[in-house]
Amino acid sequence: MSEQHIQSQDISVADVFKSFYVVPDYQREYVWEADEVEQLLTDIYVELSGSDPTKAPEYFIGSIVVCPSDAGVLELNDGQQRMTTLFLTLCAIRDHLRELGDKPPGALEPQIAATSTDAIGTDHFRYRLDLQYEDSGGVLVRIASSESETNDIVNTRSVTNIRNAYNIARRFLKREFREDIAAARRFYGYLTNNVKLIRIQADDVAKALKIFETINDRGVGLDAMDLLKNLLFMKASRSQFDELKTLWKRLQDTLYEIREKPLRFLRYFIFSRYDVEEVLREDEIYGWFAKNESKCGYAKQPLAFAQDLLKGAEAYHNFFLGNDHAGKKTRYLENMQLLGGKSARQHLIVLLAGRHLTDPLFNRLCQEVENLFFCYVITREPTRDFERNFAMWARELRAIRSDSDLENFVQRRFAKAKADLSNRFTDAMGRLTTDDLQFYRLLYVLAKLTQYIELLAYGETEATRWLSKYIGVGYEIEHIYPQTPSDNAKKEFGQYVEPNISAWLGNLVFVEKSINGSLGNRAYSDKKKVYPQSQLLLTRSLAEKPKVGVKTKIDTAVAELPSYDIWNEENVKSRQSLLAGLSRKVWGIPEQRR
């Protein structure tokens, strides 16, 4: 019987795509959706953000399992989702740079496709990734070959997900780098040189599938905490082992339920719980614990330390899901979930540091966290910068006990940070389009603007308190000037200068789904007869002011909202300016600094 060999390599994305891969037809289809793709790209970007590209840290994104196939190609037995997403990202970077009139880096094209020569000297042109399962429909080849039209391909689940993943990558590049070619190239350089995988290669399919089965066991992904776990067991007495084992499993399960990286939680827990002078990277966490036993107390009381860690993880879990530390639904944390999606977690540092506060004080903190986080997002503040701020502020927050202490802290930190970004906030809101935000964040913005007017008019009720009620299945985004306007709509709207005027925030409004179906691509003269049927004051006011009396709260709420007899580019821009000003009140942004 021949000896089996397993090779394991720590390998960069650049080196990964020096080989050719085939995903065999027995593999499941490509199932990653928007959240997974956005999370991977965001995590990579966050690691680069604010760093000198020549000194940026390496970033590990997991493992793949392969075995040899025919003609020097590697069969991909595990890691198809990640590899397909990386391949699509390379295609997106190529097409993004071309769109900006730049020639892609010389190494990029061969990472997408190349020619290899077989044993008898025959050349074979191949794409670096070949999906052989029928459900893929050949859409990956179309994208890799720069074919812009893929609508003739049958829309299977994989085709839809692959096409969406490519489009998400394109939108990500436009959103983060706009027309900055150098910034896009830096991202490419970091992705290919500093992002690493472990490539595990077995001799044959049977061995590769056995490895796949082993590393995809329920507990995989938590090995990064093993050193800390072992350290605690070394310090504990044998009589404490069972309880410590139970605590550790609960900790793992708690993080697994929200698909959290254990090292990120540990890093944020350290920031929230202890005084940390230095910038702490994930690969320095165990060393930090080893050097700071006197701060943590795990040697003398390993069980107490594990219990503290578990309480932190449970609070972290609840915060991420939009609840307070005890699991109770909380308005501003639910808002953060709608704003942050599944990728934003930096704010969890200050929430962990403030979990000792009374409910009213904690709610006040959460409100400020939401407002500042949105300010950071809309002004495109580097993620590393506001993560660093939250980590620094955690030390002060731990000491707060009273209303006055918290208000002083809010003014010193949150209010000042918003004031510093005030001008950029107004500018960003004044030119915001659908291309500038992920769709879920665009929903959040329109919902907040809509809710604000409702709160002014009706006060805080069960119907107005929860932002999710405005983002639910009952409402949709309406383009006042349609994206694909009818001839009559074009004629009424008239000539315009801005090529994407229909995508401006000033051209958007929430309407009930039942109403939106009747609006379609019709002209504004038709639409303005329908808008008053909406229950939403911001929508109704487009065509006419609600008449409910004299000097009522509703009158006050809509007093500054203009109604429009006609709809054209000038009014889109006017309404955009109005909404930008309203946004300052919604998110509590101080007056602009001169």
Side-chain angles (χ1 to χ4, degrees):
M1 182 176 178
S2 61
E3 183 181 354
Q4 294 279 339
H5 298 282
I6 298 174
Q7 301 173 12
S8 178
Q9 291 177 283
D10 178 355
I11 189 169
S12 68
V13 169
D15 288 333
V16 165
F17 285 104
K18 286 180 180 177
S19 301
F20 296 96
Y21 301 87
V22 59
V23 178
D25 55 10
Y26 62 78
Q27 287 263 20
R28 69 171 180 164
E29 69 272 15
Y30 181 73
V31 297
W32 271 22
E33 297 183 350
D35 287 338
E36 289 90 352
V37 176
E38 188 79 42
Q39 181 76 62
L40 178 65
L41 295 174
T42 300
D43 283 349
I44 293 170
Y45 178 60
V46 166
E47 288 300 311
L48 170 63
S49 180
S51 299
D52 178 346
T54 63
K55 300 176 182 177
E58 292 181 345
Y59 183 59
F60 174 67
I61 60 170
S63 61
I64 60 174
V65 179
V66 300
C67 68
S69 184
D70 297 329
V73 176
L74 295 174
E75 184 173 302
L76 188 59
N77 305 107
D78 183 33
Q80 181 222 151
Q81 310 297 321
R82 193 176 299 111
M83 284 286 286
T84 303
T85 307
L86 288 172
F87 185 79
L88 289 167
T89 300
L90 293 174
C91 295
I93 292 171
R94 174 200 63 193
D95 297 340
H96 177 73
L97 292 173
R98 283 177 177 172
E99 188 176 284
L100 295 178
D102 185 47
K103 183 180 179 181
L108 180 51
E109 287 288 359
Q111 290 168 346
I112 296 172
T115 300
S116 62
T117 305
D118 65 19
I120 61 172
T122 303
D123 284 346
H124 299 273
F125 176 82
R126 295 190 180 98
Y127 292 101
R128 292 294 183 180
L129 186 63
D130 177 18
L131 306 182
Q132 292 191 335
Y133 52 87
E134 186 176 350
D135 195 59
S136 69
V139 69
L140 192 67
V141 171
R142 295 278 193 95
I143 293 171
S145 62
S146 300
E147 289 190 34
S148 58
E149 186 55 61
T150 62
N151 291 332
D152 59 319
I153 298 175
V154 176
N155 243 356
T156 66
R157 182 186 183 189
S158 277
V159 167
T160 299
N161 288 339
I162 289 169
R163 188 187 287 123
N164 286 346
Y166 169 76
N167 290 332
I168 288 167
R170 287 296 307 272
R171 288 197 296 270
F172 173 86
L173 295 166
K174 289 180 181 179
R175 187 177 69 242
E176 298 300 338
F177 308 123
R178 298 183 183 272
E179 297 181 1
D180 189 340
I181 292 173
R185 280 177 163 266
R186 284 194 296 272
F187 180 76
Y188 165 72
Y190 180 78
L191 170 68
T192 56
N193 295 308
N194 291 62
V195 175
K196 296 287 189 74
L197 302 96
I198 300 292
R199 186 171 70 185
I200 303 168
Q201 183 168 335
D203 289 339
D204 55 40
V205 175
K207 191 72 171 179
L209 292 177
K210 182 63 178 175
I211 296 170
F212 164 77
E213 180 183 18
T214 302
I215 68 172
N216 279 277
D217 185 64
R218 167 70 169 77
V220 77
L222 298 171
D223 291 342
M225 296 180 79
D226 280 351
L227 287 174
L228 181 58
K229 175 185 175 183
N230 291 342
L231 184 60
L232 293 183
F233 273 92
M234 286 170 55
K235 302 298 182 182
S237 64
R238 184 163 292 277
S239 63
Q240 296 175 316
F241 278 14
D242 286 345
E243 186 176 355
L244 188 55
K245 181 180 177 181
T246 300
L247 287 170
W248 204 262
K249 184 178 185 305
R250 286 175 59 192
L251 171 64
Q252 290 179 328
D253 291 344
T254 299
L255 296 175
Y256 180 82
E257 284 175 9
I258 57 171
R259 301 299 189 269
E260 180 54 292
K261 293 165 52 182
L263 280 183
R264 175 159 51 201
F265 163 70
L266 281 179
R267 184 165 170 265
Y268 286 1
F269 177 82
I270 291 171
F271 289 148
S272 72
R273 190 75 173 80
Y274 308 108
D275 294 344
V276 182
E277 302 296 338
E278 68 273 22
V279 175
L280 186 65
R281 299 198 311 267
E282 288 186 356
D283 59 1
E284 297 171 333
I285 287 174
Y286 177 74
W288 186 90
F289 275 117
K291 292 189 296 183
N292 289 278
E293 190 284 323
S294 59
K295 286 184 179 181
C296 307
Y298 57 76
K300 292 181 180 179
Q301 296 182 304
L303 280 180
F305 174 78
Q307 288 166 347
D308 192 32
L309 204 58
L310 175 60
K311 286 180 182 178
E314 289 171 341
Y316 189 94
H317 172 280
N318 285 328
F319 296 155
F320 181 72
L321 295 178
N323 305 314
D324 67 11
H325 69 92
K328 184 174 68 177
K329 185 178 178 183
T330 301
R331 171 182 169 185
Y332 299 113
L333 290 187
E334 182 185 83
N335 292 358
M336 272 303 306
Q337 193 180 30
L338 297 170
L339 165 61
K342 295 186 177 179
S343 60
R345 313 204 179 201
Q346 299 83 5
H347 63 291
L348 299 178
I349 300 170
V350 286
L351 297 182
L352 281 174
R355 59 192 158 114
H356 66 283
L357 297 171
T358 62
D359 286 351
L361 294 185
F362 186 73
N363 281 335
R364 174 82 174 98
L365 173 66
C366 292
Q367 181 183 22
E368 289 297 327
V369 166
E370 179 197 352
N371 289 345
L372 180 57
F373 197 94
F374 177 71
C375 187
Y376 281 150
V377 166
I378 208 70
T379 59
R380 312 180 72 78
E381 190 74 357
T383 307
R384 280 190 178 276
D385 289 355
F386 62 83
E387 181 188 80
R388 183 176 62 248
N389 286 343
F390 289 154
M392 289 191 306
W393 300 350
R395 178 188 302 189
E396 300 172 41
L397 191 52
R398 288 197 301 271
I400 290 174
R401 294 292 183 274
S402 67
D403 291 20
S404 59
D405 286 345
L406 182 61
E407 284 307 313
N408 288 336
F409 172 75
V410 165
Q411 293 303 313
R412 187 170 64 253
R413 296 303 188 189
F414 287 87
K416 182 181 183 303
K418 288 189 293 185
D420 289 343
L421 295 171
S422 178
N423 292 1
R424 285 168 54 191
F425 180 91
T426 301
D427 178 63
M429 291 301 298
R431 53 185 175 82
L432 185 67
T433 73
T434 57
D435 294 332
D436 296 321
L437 289 176
Q438 299 96 324
F439 183 69
Y440 67 87
R441 282 181 170 155
L442 184 65
L443 288 174
Y444 166 85
V445 170
L446 287 168
K448 285 286 286 188
L449 292 168
T450 301
Q451 181 194 42
Y452 179 77
I453 301 299
E454 306 285 304
L455 286 168
L456 286 179
Y458 307 120
E460 188 171 309
T461 68
E462 196 59 27
T464 61
R465 179 182 300 116
W466 304 103
L467 192 64
S468 55
K469 293 195 174 182
Y470 297 89
I471 300 181
V473 293
Y475 298 102
E476 294 179 335
I477 295 177
E478 147 75 354
H479 290 73
I480 304 169
Y481 178 60
Q483 293 173 291
T484 54
S486 65
D487 290 340
N488 195 31
K490 290 179 183 177
K491 182 179 178 181
E492 274 194 14
F493 193 78
Q495 296 296 315
Y496 54 90
V497 176
E498 297 292 341
N500 65 336
I501 192 66
S502 68
W504 281 43
L505 177 64
N507 190 56
L508 307 178
V509 70
F510 261 169
V511 295
E512 291 84 348
K513 184 179 288 188
S514 56
I515 294 176
N516 199 31
S518 67
L519 294 170
N521 63 351
R522 297 161 67 186
Y524 182 72
S525 60
D526 294 324
K527 289 186 173 187
K528 72 177 183 179
K529 300 172 186 176
V530 180
Y531 290 142
Q533 298 174 24
S534 174
Q535 297 300 308
L536 302 175
L537 293 174
L538 190 61
T539 306
R540 289 165 61 187
S541 297
L542 274 170
E544 63 180 32
K545 294 286 184 68
K547 296 180 176 63
V548 292
V550 180
K551 294 184 179 180
T552 65
K553 292 178 92 175
I554 295 178
D555 291 326
T556 303
V558 301
E560 297 182 11
L561 298 179
S563 298
Y564 301 92
D565 291 329
I566 62 171
W567 195 246
N568 53 26
E569 182 177 38
E570 180 183 354
N571 284 341
V572 172
K573 292 182 175 181
S574 174
R575 186 168 181 266
Q576 180 105 0
S577 179
L578 171 85
L579 294 180
L582 186 63
S583 297
R584 301 179 68 82
K585 299 176 183 178
V586 174
W587 284 280
I589 308 300
E591 287 302 315
Q592 291 179 303
R593 293 191 170 184
R594 299 189 183 279

